[in-house]
Amino acid sequence: MLLEGFKQEHYPKLVMVREQSDAQLTTELTNVQGVAVWEDHTGWAQSHFSDKTIQTFPADANGPAGRWLLGQIQKQREGVRDE
């Protein structure tokens, strides 16, 4: 399941970080698993999130963020089958 919104629900979240000020969302939201950042903020984001369990991805849907997202969807589908 892929949802946009529902910020306070416990679903795994991928946060889009367009500017450094957007990083505060990772402390305000629940269950943030990763951040997708614009190319010009990649270096900053990797150092900012290096001590956290949050994965950092370039904001390229065809790259690592897209693969991570597809993996999350697959995990959810497998969880539904197990119930």
Side-chain angles (χ1 to χ4, degrees):
M1 178 183 320
L2 176 62
L3 301 172
E4 197 282 324
F6 301 96
K7 290 179 174 42
Q8 297 309 317
E9 296 299 321
H10 192 66
Y11 298 112
K13 295 178 183 70
L14 177 66
V15 175
M16 298 298 293
V17 176
R18 293 185 176 115
E19 301 175 358
Q20 290 182 14
S21 61
D22 293 337
Q24 74 182 22
L25 290 171
T26 62
T27 61
E28 297 171 0
L29 302 176
T30 61
N31 202 13
V32 174
Q33 302 291 309
V35 294
V37 296
W38 266 235
E39 187 173 319
D40 55 334
H41 296 297
T42 302
W44 168 83
Q46 288 175 338
S47 65
H48 180 75
F49 295 108
S50 66
D51 62 337
K52 299 176 178 74
T53 59
I54 297 173
Q55 295 181 328
T56 305
F57 305 104
D60 176 357
N62 295 321
R67 286 190 296 277
W68 176 85
L69 190 54
L70 290 173
Q72 292 296 313
I73 293 168
Q74 184 64 36
K75 285 181 190 177
Q76 291 295 319
R77 291 181 71 197
E78 290 171 358
V80 169
R81 282 189 220 133
D82 292 341
E83 294 177 357

